[in-house]
Amino acid sequence: MKHPVLLGRSFLIGLSVLVCSSLFASGPPNIVLLFADDAGYADFGFHGSREMRTPRLDALAEEGMLFEQAYVTAAVCGPSRAGLLTGRYQQRFGFEENNVPGYMSESCLPDNEMGLPLDQTTVADHLKTLGYRTALIGKWHQGNAERFHPLHRGFDEFYGFRGGARSYFAFGNGNPNHRPEDRIERGIGDFAESDKYLTDAFADETIAFIERNQSGPFFVMLSFNAVHNPMQAEAKDIEEFPNLAGTRRQLAAMTLSMDRACGRVLDKLTELKLDENTIVIFTNDNGGPSDANASDNSPLSGTKATHLEGGIRVPFVMRWPGVTKPASKYEHSISMFDLLPTFYAAAGGNVGDLKKVDGVDLRPFVAAENKARPHQTLFWKKESRGAVRDGNWKLIRFPDRPAELYDVSKDVAETNNLAGAHPDRVKAMFKQLFAWEMTLERTKWQLKREYEGADLKHMDEYRK
């Protein structure tokens, strides 16, 4: 008779083989990325909001892992998406923190020359090589010319608009002056306005894509324009918030609509029995622009377009069956450029084959196999402004005042500037930031100078 310890060990080995065989039999996981636009850090129930109602996303957080320090690579929409799509600091290929096109200096490239450079490989490109069907539903904002179109950047399907913002209702007599890039498009060149509220239309298309590709594997990025302005909600949702007023009431209604849309997508995964083999992530592209949409970034200071935490730290929830534990939290810093290598590895790819990516595969970290930080250092840059986070220390460089230094582990609102107390650290981190900048390309386009001044004004007005 075998020793009891050996019997126990044999049982565990057999169980491990069974689990691995089961996971292998289910095939590579599907991937659903639910991506909000301009949402405030505090404007979700899972972050403690008592005004916003997000029951479906709150439930997702309970089923998965809430990341306490998730960062975007830029504090505005377009470059933030470029970093996510490529797994790189977008400044490495000249896509600095300036949206494309529009608002640009007259010395810049023509509008149709601005877009995600064609020599950059996207997450959709990589996943297609591993047999995935891919779709981008919603906002693109990576260039308006056809050569920058999602269908030329690794996505098999596209339904949405090429620009950065548009009406939530169909263009018609009430919206006569829309731009070409704001038109709703299916594929390339098939322009037709939806008769539905746009958040619902995007959810419908995502659900239809999942139904068509349920044999998998698939990757779909549901890129909401909610809750970016214009602030347009449906009357039925506005009525749900009688205690709020003005823009804040519109925001609450739009957030409820987005939450409901996310819930419908999650329900479809469950209905088709895909939920146990699907990675679902909900996150946001940058901090909330409190002046434009009444968003709340508490307890963080700052807003969209600033390098304070309120501009670059975002909500992030991941449900990955077998990897994330229900109702768990992850405390270390991650970046949106980590999604590309994470998805690639989950799909069966060898991360070592990825060239020039700045992100890392998050699975070993969130599964607690690796207790180290995914990143010791993270950087941000917009023209002469910049920031570097090294461990718990964060330095912010400005064009109009001395640099500021914070210990964000103790001072998340960045109210206690420690630069005067730690001059050697300021000097060292200044050099860190400059050394990183020496590895970057020159920016390919720049905003008019007036917008840089407006961003600094936003920073000063939205300090805690």
Side-chain angles (χ1 to χ4, degrees), residues 389 392-393 406-416 418:
R389 174 164 176 171
N392 291 327
W393 291 96
Y406 298 98
D407 181 346
V408 291
S409 68
K410 300 175 182 177
D411 180 20
V412 72
E414 296 167 294
T415 58
N416 184 21
L418 299 173

Side-chain angles (χ1 to χ4, degrees), residues 59-60 85 103 106 108 113 117 120 147 196 211 243 263 274-275 308 323 357 370 373 376 382 386 398 457 462:
L60 183 68
L85 288 166
Y103 318 112
E106 292 181 0
C108 285
E113 295 294 326
Q120 298 302 305
R147 63 184 175 281
K196 295 184 177 181
E211 288 177 330
N243 296 326
L274 300 175
D275 51 321
L308 293 168
V323 176
V357 298
N370 188 334
R373 298 173 183 262
Q376 173 65 24
K382 182 178 183 181
F398 304 99
K457 182 180 179 182
Y462 289 93

Side-chain angles (χ1 to χ4, degrees), residues 298-423:
S298 298
L300 314 176
S301 287
T303 66
K304 174 181 179 177
T306 76
H307 289 148
L308 293 168
E309 293 291 285
I312 56 178
R313 190 187 291 205
V314 295
F316 189 104
V317 174
M318 175 190 287
R319 187 183 73 188
W320 187 345
V323 176
T324 57
K325 294 181 180 179
S328 59
K329 293 184 178 181
Y330 188 75
E331 63 178 4
H332 291 312
S333 301
I334 67 162
S335 175
M336 291 303 134
F337 57 41
D338 294 325
L339 294 184
L340 186 153
T342 301
F343 293 165
Y344 187 72
N350 182 351
V351 175
D353 295 336
L354 299 175
K355 307 303 180 185
K356 299 181 180 179
V357 298
D358 292 299
V360 300
D361 174 14
L362 292 174
R363 195 203 64 80
F365 298 95
V366 301
E369 297 166 6
N370 188 334
K371 300 297 180 64
R373 298 173 183 262
H375 302 282
Q376 173 65 24
T377 310
L378 292 170
F379 299 97
W380 297 267
K381 170 179 164 52
K382 182 178 183 181
E383 300 185 17
S384 55
R385 280 190 287 145
V388 52
R389 174 164 176 171
D390 186 43
N392 291 327
W393 291 96
K394 180 181 172 188
L395 178 88
I396 310 178
R397 186 187 66 197
F398 304 99
D400 65 340
R401 69 200 73 182
E404 298 176 3
L405 179 71
Y406 298 98
D407 181 346
V408 291
S409 68
K410 300 175 182 177
D411 180 20
V412 72
E414 296 167 294
T415 58
N416 184 21
N417 180 11
L418 299 173
H422 298 277

Side-chain angles (χ1 to χ4, degrees), residues 3 40 112 205 253-254 301 342 348 396:
H3 192 278
N112 66 352
E205 291 294 325
M254 294 165 70
S301 287
T342 301
I396 310 178

Side-chain angles (χ1 to χ4, degrees), residues 85-102:
L85 288 166
T86 62
R88 307 183 70 197
Y89 287 111
Q90 66 281 350
Q91 295 95 339
R92 293 201 187 281
F93 45 86
F95 199 145
E96 204 161 290
E97 290 195 28
N98 299 311
N99 285 324
V100 297

Side-chain angles (χ1 to χ4, degrees), residues 92-153:
R92 293 201 187 281
F93 45 86
F95 199 145
E96 204 161 290
E97 290 195 28
N98 299 311
N99 285 324
V100 297
Y103 318 112
M104 297 299 171
S105 166
E106 292 181 0
S107 63
C108 285
L109 297 169
D111 282 1
N112 66 352
E113 295 294 326
M114 298 181 195
L116 182 63
L118 300 180
D119 60 353
Q120 298 302 305
T121 307
T122 72
V123 60
D125 287 318
H126 286 296
L127 290 175
K128 277 175 65 73
T129 68
L130 298 174
Y132 276 65
R133 185 77 177 171
T134 60
L136 189 289
I137 310 294
K139 172 177 171 176
W140 176 232
H141 210 196
Q142 296 297 295
N144 297 336
E146 185 172 317
R147 63 184 175 281
F148 299 122
H149 193 279
L151 296 195
H152 297 315
R153 309 314 304 270

Side-chain angles (χ1 to χ4, degrees), residues 160-166 171 178-184 193:
F161 61 99
R162 302 186 193 185
R166 57 150 284 152
F171 289 127
H178 64 273
R179 302 168 301 176
E181 63 266 28
D182 297 338
R183 296 174 294 175
I184 295 299
E193 288 295 305

